[in-house]
Amino acid sequence: MRIHIIQTGTVAIKQVQRSRRPTGNPLLNILLDPHWTEPLPIFAFVIEHPEGLIVVDTGETARVAEPGYFPGWHPYYRYGVREWVQPEEEIGPQMRAMGLDPNDVRWVLLTHLHTDHAGGLAHFPKAEHLVSRREYANAAGTLGLVRGYPSYRWPRWFNPTLTDMQPQPVAPFPDSYPVTQAGDVRFVPTPGHTAGHLSVLVTTSEVNYFLAGDASYTQALMLAGQVDGVAPDRLVARQTLERVRAFCQAAPTVYLPAHDPDTPDRLANHQVVLAQPDPADAMQEVTYA
Ligand SMILES: [Zn+2]
C-alpha cells in the first residue's frame, strides 16, 4: 500500500474561521473579521491499495477563477474565502503525471462536501463515491447551497453511495465503516467541522494514517482542542477533537489534515503524533486570533 499526497492549489480563510471566537454569531464573526490567514494548501490523497485505487477528497477545481462559479449572493463566497488553483494543479492532471489513471480509481472517499474537497469530482466519473448520509443530506439542494455547499456544481452523474456507520467500534470512536474487504481502510465518524464529517483511517502493521479532512485544520489545533469557526455544534466538535487526540496518543498515528502545511512532511517521514505533545507547540498556532 502506498499513500500519495496531492496539493490542488491554496485557500485563504479568515483567522476566526481557523480558531473560533467563543462569543458572537459564527458566520458574522467570519464575515466581519478583517484578518486573513496566509494561503493554506488544499490536499487530497491517492492510496494505491491491493483492492484498487482509492482517492480521499478530490481537492479544488481551477474553475473557481471563472466569474460566477460561486453564487455571488452568498456572503461567505463573497467575503469569507479566497482560492487559487491552476488547471495543472487539479487532481486529475497530477495523477496522470504520477502515472495513475483517474479512470482506474475504484473508490472516492469524501470526508465532507465543501467545495475544496469536492471540486475535483469531475475527474472521477467511473469511481464509486462514498459520503456520509448526513453530509449529503446537508449539502444537497437549495438548502445545501445556503449552508455553503455549491451543490449545483457537482457533476450531473454524481450519485454517491450514502454510508451509515456500522456497529464496528474503533476505540474511542463508537462505530466505523469499512471500505476495503481487508478492513484496513475505513471511515470513522468525526462530526464537528460539518455535522456529517468523516475521517479516513488507514491501518498498516506499523502505523495508522489518519486522513482527517477538516476534522481540524492542523495537528496543533487538534491537540489544543481548538474548535474551528464554522462547526455547527461546538460541543460535538470538541468531543470529536478529544476522540481524535485519544486515538492518536493510544497508537502510533500519522495525522494528516487537508490544510496543514506540515502534512506532506509528516506523511513522507511517517512522523507520528507524540504521546506527550509539547504544550508550547500546541498553543503556538491558536493564539493569533
Ligand atoms: Zn471544509
Side-chain angles (χ1 to χ4, degrees):
M1 187 156 47
R2 268 185 82 184
I3 305 178
H4 305 273
I5 184 164
I6 291 177
Q7 182 177 347
T8 66
T10 53
V11 58
I13 54 175
K14 297 297 185 62
Q15 292 197 6
V16 293
Q17 181 174 341
R18 183 158 55 180
S19 296
R20 190 186 193 92
R21 193 173 288 160
T23 55
N25 175 284
L27 179 60
L28 269 183
N29 285 346
I30 289 170
L31 298 179
L32 298 176
D33 184 359
H35 305 292
W36 290 89
T37 66
E38 68 281 12
L40 306 167
I42 304 169
F43 293 122
F45 297 87
V46 183
I47 306 170
E48 292 186 74
H49 189 279
E51 295 179 36
L53 269 184
I54 304 172
V55 163
V56 179
D57 288 338
T58 64
E60 189 51 287
T61 170
R63 293 189 61 199
V64 294
E66 293 173 12
Y69 180 80
F70 292 124
W73 54 265
H74 198 294
Y76 180 75
Y77 287 106
R78 220 177 157 110
Y79 303 112
V81 64
R82 296 170 179 165
E83 292 184 297
W84 301 270
V85 187
Q86 297 299 316
E88 66 275 11
E89 289 180 306
E90 291 187 7
I91 189 168
Q94 291 210 62
M95 283 183 67
R96 289 207 163 83
M98 300 161 98
L100 300 171
D101 186 345
N103 287 324
D104 291 340
V105 171
R106 180 169 178 186
W107 291 298
V108 172
L109 311 182
L110 294 153
T111 60
H112 63 305
L113 289 166
H114 281 164
T115 177
D116 50 331
H117 298 254
L121 284 174
H123 294 288
F124 306 103
K126 295 187 175 167
E128 181 185 4
H129 299 75
L130 280 77
V131 64
S132 86
R133 186 178 300 279
R134 181 151 191 197
E135 180 70 15
Y136 187 79
N138 283 340
T142 309
L143 260 179
L145 185 54
V146 172
R147 291 189 190 100
Y149 296 91
S151 47
Y152 64 100
R153 293 297 180 190
W154 296 342
R156 249 183 234 144
W157 46 255
F158 183 56
N159 183 24
T161 302
L162 303 182
T163 63
D164 296 304
M165 291 296 113
Q166 306 292 309
Q168 297 183 19
V170 180
F173 299 99
D175 42 27
S176 68
Y177 180 93
V179 175
T180 56
Q181 201 95 68
D184 53 356
V185 178
R186 60 176 62 232
F187 276 131
V188 290
T190 48
H193 177 69
T194 66
H197 192 283
L198 304 176
S199 294
V200 177
L201 181 60
V202 180
T203 313
T204 70
S205 49
E206 289 102 49
V207 78
N208 298 304
Y209 296 90
F210 199 101
L211 281 58
D214 292 354
S216 70
Y217 291 128
T218 65
Q219 176 167 298
L221 290 166
M222 179 273 289
L223 291 173
Q226 172 67 54
V227 173
D228 73 37
V230 293
D233 185 324
R234 192 157 37 142
L235 295 178
V236 168
R238 177 159 296 176
Q239 183 185 43
T240 285
L241 294 178
E242 277 169 18
R243 281 180 181 156
V244 173
R245 184 174 46 192
F247 179 86
C248 290
Q249 294 182 348
T253 300
V254 181
Y255 186 67
L256 304 169
H259 303 291
D260 188 335
D262 293 332
T263 287
D265 274 357
R266 249 180 248 138
L267 176 61
N269 303 317
H270 314 284
Q271 192 188 321
V272 300
V273 179
L274 296 176
Q276 295 296 328
D278 180 346
D281 262 15
M283 286 316 293
Q284 207 178 10
E285 257 186 271
V286 294
T287 47
Y288 38 68

